[in-house]
Amino acid sequence: MSGRIYSVPLLLLLLLSAFSMALASYTRLIEQRANHGKATVIASQISNNLEVFSADRLRAVDDLLQSWPLHHANPVDWFNVRATTLSKMLPGLHDVLLLDARQQIRWSIVASERGKLTGTALSSLGFHQTEPAAGGFYTAFYQQQGQPFTLVVKAIDPQQPAKGFVAASFDIQQILTVLVGALASDDLSFYLQDGSHALFRHGEIAPDAPAVSQHLSFAGRDWQFVIQAQQPGLNSALLVLLAGLLSALLVSAMLFRKLYREQQLQLQQQMFLAAADASPDAIALYVPHPKRHGDFVLQHANLQVAALFKPGYQQLQQLSLQQLCHALCAASFWPLCLRVYQQHKSFDGIVAVDSAALTPAWLQLQIVKAGAGLVISLRDVSDSKMYEQQLKANEEKYRRLVEGIDGHFIYRLNQAGAVDFISHSVQQILGYSPAEFAANHLTYVLREPAQMAHIRAQYQQGIAPQPYQIEYKAKDGSTRQIEFRERPVLDEQGKVLAIEGIGRDVTSELLLQQKIRYQADHDQLTGLLNRYAFDQQLQQLLAAGQQAILCYIDMDQFKLVNDSCGHLAGDELLRHVASILATDLTDKDVLARIGGDEFCLIYPGITLSQATAKLQLLFGRISAFRFRWEQKIFTVAASIGVLELSGQQLNTVEVLKAADSACYFAKAAGRNRYHIVNAGAAELNHRQNELDLVSLIQQAIDQHQFELYYQRIVPLQAQGGGAHYEMLLRLTDPQGKTVSPAVFIPLAERFGLMQHIDRWVFNQVLDCLEAHPAHLQQLDKVAINLSGLSLGDEQFLSHILQRFATSPVPAAKICFEITETAAVTNMASASRFIQALQQIGVRFALDDFGAGMSSFSYLKNMAVDFVKIDGSFVRNMARDATDYAMVKAIAEIAVSLGKTTIAEFVADAEVSVLLAGLGVAYGQGYALHQPEPWLPLLEAASAAPARLPALA
């Protein structure tokens, strides 16, 4: 039993040992077979890949030879360009040599070796001509600095060896690194040799394990490749024997190891395929289509090409290049390919893709002509392009936001108040760069708001202040007004982190506002205050109850200048007058132009006597002024209404009415003077009185309420002749008071009634003369005044001609008096008017000569019969040598021109004697005859038809 006890365990031990040994032996056998199979597969793949690798490069060399130009100016340059391109396109191609017919090296594309090799025999590289390999190649093996190379030599033209040879040198180490480098692992041992020359070795071949030997061919060279898959670590059979009861675990571990090895083998295969594809870009090689001329067919495409197509469109790869372009809706791509192919100029650029078959939206496209075909490289750059576009759009949006706001800049202040950001637009506004302004902005401040401390306090409280302005000195020295709008940036606890804001250049805006305010308050012509601004000043003065003197100034003779010389002359005259009025004014005085030729002047804080003294000086300056325009000289006068303001409860309208009334009184008193008026109720009603007077004038025209007076025109040289007198017009108001012609005539001119008065006087004179023929017989001439407006009235001229055509009154008995001012102002109209009436015998007199236009050329060109010398010269000629000289000059010139002279305003006998001595023909004035009503004279002649006694 004890034997059984020992034998059974021993037998069991033996059985278990035998089973373990059998299992170990079986496992060892299986492992050797797997390793052998693995080595066989790898050897086969290496053989195939090396054959393809070799064929590509030999074909490239062959293509180089086939494309050798028949005639070329410099075949070496052509060879260098093409060979260099091949070396860059084909990994492992170390050098390409151009040989002559004696196999002497003419050129090497490797610049560093060119000098050493040129001119040497190819045999120096170990090449000795043997029988050519398939395809007509000659091959040789050589080593350079211990590195193996394969040399392939082929004649450029086998039929003409004299053309020479081309030798391609392949770097075996680089080629094998690409093909078998990925196989370098612990469980694989292999070596590769060319005859007796070792080319590549990894690990050691175990003699007790099977190895796979494979003959390889590369460029006509026979290589031997030996590979062995080994079992690293401990022997698995020994492990089974020793493990015993752990055999199941060992089997599982072995199975796992086996699966793991298979996975590693698959990964190694994938790495090999990736290394074969070589490039991350999608690369497709197209060659000329064998059946479709001008088209190309796909020869090779790496895996990335298929990735460009969406699912279901991969079959499009099999189309020709032209068909593919149309199928992808990329018709413009096809002419691009043709241009590259025909012009030998590569294309490289980014193109947009709009095809349902392709995945990318943007492609980096490169087209290069390679031999007879095209190499097209594609890379999906959609993400980077879209990111670039989005980034560009965001940058442009931000730039437009920050920099595109004209006249604005954006900034940020940190907690310390320093500028930590400011947009570049600050340089456009102030001239300082952002860095300059950030560092020195406080030194550029010229003036800041008085409440700046309060604004800073608001920052600390987290309150956004109201917009405020700071005046800065710009880099060019100018001042700029910047308006700031700010808001504090707060954290969650309400603490101020920073201040963000926008600065806006409001300089132009403020200047424009100032200009607008100035233009709103000032007269553009004279630069004085205008009516609106003057009303504001006057209203403030009245509200304060301040003592002041208001002067209402109306320029006399302005209309003459404006009408005779044009508006430009009138404007220039107004500017001169404004300058005269502004002389010696204080800062408190107020001067304004409130109308066409009307000005207002306020002397605040002075008495009436002080004001009149100032006015006397002012009148002196105005009288001394002579306005010259185009060889014409004008005298200027002014009528001034003066009103004393002393706290009366009046408004601006009432005050100006009173001053205006005073001005009219000054005009009525003879112009060129001032009139002082009190702010009483009677004088404040002047405007209403004026309107009442206008109504009275219109009523007098309609109801024949005017009364005709006459004043004799007395001969100064000889007695005798018929009656000669001037018709005068009188008007009586409802209270029976006579209204002075100096009052109602200007008013009638202002309100356009003068033409109606002229027509009424003419008709009345002719009607009365027609009704009193006895007086008509005694009459020499009757003078009728005509206004300037009547001279230009064609209807009035027609009316006069019609009346004379039917009236018994001879036209020669009528003399129309026209003022010098009216004649000059309406020169063309006046000439036509005078000429038309002179043709029927009407006489004309030029009234008030010398008072207006101081030019005798008008007298020469004016076809008048009489010249009436203005009374302003006649009145004082006995006491004023200047007046005497003026009268003498006028009389002499008038006589020389064949015109009869009449002197007005003959005030005394002394003047009469002087006039007679100067040869003046007639005199008119109170010293000779006081004006009388005309109707009694007519009636007297009719009652006692006798000759009118001679007038003395």
Side-chain angles (χ1 to χ4, degrees), residues 364-637:
Q364 174 78 40
L365 172 64
Q366 185 177 22
I367 308 173
V368 179
K369 183 177 181 181
L374 292 173
V375 175
I376 301 175
S377 175
L378 303 168
R379 178 181 295 177
D380 185 358
V381 293
S382 302
D383 292 340
S384 61
K385 188 66 177 179
M386 292 178 64
Y387 177 77
E388 177 186 346
Q389 291 179 336
Q390 184 65 35
L391 181 61
K392 185 176 181 181
N394 291 339
E395 290 178 349
E396 181 65 20
K397 181 179 180 181
Y398 180 75
R399 188 189 65 79
R400 288 197 306 267
L401 177 64
V402 175
E403 307 293 349
I405 308 176
D406 186 30
H408 294 68
F409 60 86
I410 298 174
Y411 62 93
R412 178 186 175 95
L413 306 178
N414 57 24
Q415 292 178 327
V419 178
D420 59 9
F421 169 78
I422 189 165
S423 61
H424 287 277
S425 50
V426 71
Q427 189 165 3
Q428 300 175 357
I429 299 172
L430 294 174
Y432 303 110
S433 67
E436 285 180 304
F437 187 81
N440 308 302
H441 66 97
L442 294 179
T443 63
Y444 304 144
V445 175
L446 297 178
R447 186 174 65 252
E448 63 182 12
Q451 70 273 21
M452 200 65 201
H454 175 67
I455 294 174
R456 294 190 179 97
Q458 287 182 307
Y459 292 157
Q460 301 304 321
Q461 300 172 12
I463 301 174
Q466 292 296 319
Y468 62 92
Q469 296 176 6
I470 294 180
E471 182 177 317
Y472 285 95
K473 180 179 181 181
K475 196 167 187 177
D476 60 4
S478 62
T479 59
R480 312 298 294 179
Q481 300 290 337
I482 307 299
E483 180 187 77
F484 291 93
R485 294 177 178 268
E486 300 172 328
R487 66 177 184 86
V489 180
L490 310 177
D491 60 10
E492 296 179 354
Q493 289 73 34
K495 183 180 178 181
V496 178
L497 298 177
I499 302 297
E500 294 178 346
I502 297 178
R504 182 169 70 96
D505 184 5
V506 296
T507 307
S508 299
E509 183 179 324
L510 294 178
L511 291 176
L512 179 60
Q513 291 175 0
Q514 293 175 1
K515 183 176 180 181
I516 292 174
R517 283 197 298 268
Y518 181 86
Q519 292 178 347
D521 293 342
H522 290 76
D523 173 49
Q524 293 186 3
L525 178 63
T526 63
L528 303 178
L529 294 178
N530 58 20
R531 177 62 178 265
Y532 171 79
F534 179 77
D535 285 345
Q536 299 296 317
Q537 296 271 1
L538 181 57
Q539 186 175 358
Q540 294 175 10
L541 188 144
L542 293 175
Q546 184 179 355
Q547 170 72 25
I549 302 300
L550 171 63
C551 300
Y552 195 103
I553 306 170
D554 186 276
M555 301 308 301
D556 300 327
Q557 306 299 330
F558 170 74
K559 189 175 186 300
L560 168 64
V561 176
N562 203 48
D563 293 343
S564 61
C565 298
H567 293 290
L568 291 178
D571 292 346
E572 184 65 21
L573 175 58
L574 288 176
R575 282 190 283 266
H576 282 291
V577 170
S579 177
I580 293 173
L581 297 177
T583 305
D584 294 336
L585 293 183
T586 66
D587 294 338
K588 296 181 180 179
D589 298 336
V590 180
L591 176 62
R593 180 188 175 207
I594 63 171
D597 59 347
E598 297 174 335
F599 299 84
C600 275
L601 176 59
I602 298 178
Y603 292 118
I606 67 173
T607 63
L608 185 59
S609 60
Q610 292 173 323
T612 55
K614 289 177 177 288
L615 292 180
Q616 291 296 342
L617 294 175
L618 182 59
F619 275 117
R621 296 189 188 98
I622 294 175
S623 299
F625 174 67
R626 295 293 183 269
F627 179 67
R628 292 175 172 82
W629 185 266
E630 295 180 350
Q631 299 181 351
K632 302 179 183 68
I633 302 176
F634 300 87
T635 59
V636 181

Side-chain angles (χ1 to χ4, degrees), residues 68 297 305 391 394 430 585 661 714 773 918 925:
W68 196 273
V297 66
V305 173
L391 181 61
N394 291 339
L430 294 174
L585 293 183
S661 299
V714 179
L918 293 176

Side-chain angles (χ1 to χ4, degrees), residues 45-74:
Q45 291 176 348
I46 292 296
S47 176
N48 294 336
N49 290 336
L50 185 62
E51 184 177 353
V52 172
F53 201 88
S54 172
D56 286 345
R57 280 139 186 81
L58 293 177
R59 183 166 52 252
V61 175
D62 193 37
D63 290 343
L64 175 64
L65 297 176
Q66 291 179 5
S67 60
W68 196 273
L70 296 178
H71 302 284
H72 196 280
N74 193 335

Side-chain angles (χ1 to χ4, degrees), residues 220-296:
R221 302 292 298 177
D222 290 329
W223 290 353
Q224 184 179 10
F225 179 65
V226 178
I227 184 171
Q228 183 183 69
Q230 299 177 348
Q231 175 71 22
L234 298 176
N235 190 282
S236 59
L238 180 59
L239 292 175
V240 170
L241 183 62
L242 297 176
L245 297 176
L246 299 177
S247 59
L249 181 60
L250 180 60
V251 170
S252 299
M254 290 177 64
L255 181 60
F256 172 77
R257 191 177 185 90
K258 182 178 180 181
L259 292 176
Y260 176 76
R261 287 177 178 175
E262 290 178 356
Q263 183 184 20
Q264 287 295 103
L265 178 61
Q266 185 177 4
L267 289 176
Q268 291 171 358
Q269 291 174 345
Q270 292 177 354
M271 292 175 62
F272 171 76
L273 294 176
D277 288 337
S279 173
D281 298 338
I283 299 176
L285 174 62
Y286 281 89
V287 296
H289 200 289
K291 296 181 180 180
R292 294 166 55 93
H293 178 69
D295 201 355
F296 300 87

Side-chain angles (χ1 to χ4, degrees), residues 693-925:
L693 182 55
V694 172
S695 177
L696 179 62
I697 295 171
Q698 186 64 58
Q699 181 180 337
I701 296 172
D702 297 338
Q703 300 179 11
H704 304 286
Q705 294 177 352
F706 281 116
E707 184 177 2
L708 291 175
Y709 274 57
Y710 77 98
Q711 186 178 32
R712 295 173 184 174
I713 298 176
V714 179
L716 299 178
Q717 300 300 328
Q719 301 295 327
H724 187 186
Y725 50 82
E726 178 184 355
M727 300 306 304
L728 304 177
L729 198 61
R730 297 293 182 265
L731 178 64
T732 304
D733 64 13
Q735 288 75 34
K737 297 180 180 179
T738 299
V739 181
S740 170
V743 174
F744 73 81
I745 292 297
L747 195 61
E749 290 178 343
R750 285 184 58 199
F751 286 89
L753 298 176
M754 232 16 252
Q755 291 169 278
H756 301 284
I757 293 176
D758 290 345
R759 185 184 288 256
W760 184 89
V761 172
F762 172 72
N763 289 331
Q764 284 295 109
V765 170
L766 257 65
D767 290 344
C768 290
L769 291 177
E770 290 172 358
H772 298 84
H775 180 72
L776 182 60
Q777 293 178 0
Q778 303 172 4
L779 182 63
D780 180 20
K781 280 179 288 295
V782 57
I784 302 173
N785 287 282
L786 291 182
S787 66
L789 293 176
S790 295
L791 290 178
D793 191 343
E794 296 292 338
Q795 293 182 354
F796 184 46
L797 176 60
S798 299
H799 174 72
I800 294 174
L801 293 173
Q802 290 175 3
R803 280 299 305 265
F804 279 124
T806 59
S807 174
V809 178
K813 291 185 178 291
I814 303 298
C815 178
F816 286 122
E817 289 191 6
I818 59 176
T819 64
E820 178 190 1
T821 300
V824 173
T825 303
N826 306 278
M827 180 67 75
S829 299
S831 297
R832 289 194 300 271
F833 191 93
I834 294 172
Q835 183 179 7
L837 294 179
Q838 280 182 335
Q839 291 178 355
I840 63 173
V842 176
R843 304 292 186 89
F844 281 88
L846 188 59
D847 197 11
D848 298 335
F849 184 78
M853 310 298 295
S854 300
S855 175
F856 289 105
S857 63
Y858 292 114
L859 183 59
K860 178 180 178 181
N861 298 321
M862 189 69 65
V864 296
D865 303 286
F866 299 91
V867 174
K868 299 188 74 173
I869 304 173
D870 187 69
S872 62
F873 302 114
V874 176
R875 182 187 298 113
N876 296 317
M877 63 179 291
R879 291 169 292 277
D880 191 318
T882 301
D883 289 344
Y884 179 85
M886 288 294 295
V887 173
K888 180 181 178 182
I890 295 173
E892 290 175 351
I893 292 175
V895 171
S896 68
L897 294 174
K899 304 181 187 301
T900 303
T901 54
I902 302 172
E904 299 179 314
F905 287 82
V906 179
D908 51 44
E910 185 180 3
V911 172
S912 179
V913 172
L914 291 175
L915 290 172
L918 293 176
V920 177
Y922 293 90
Q924 181 181 356

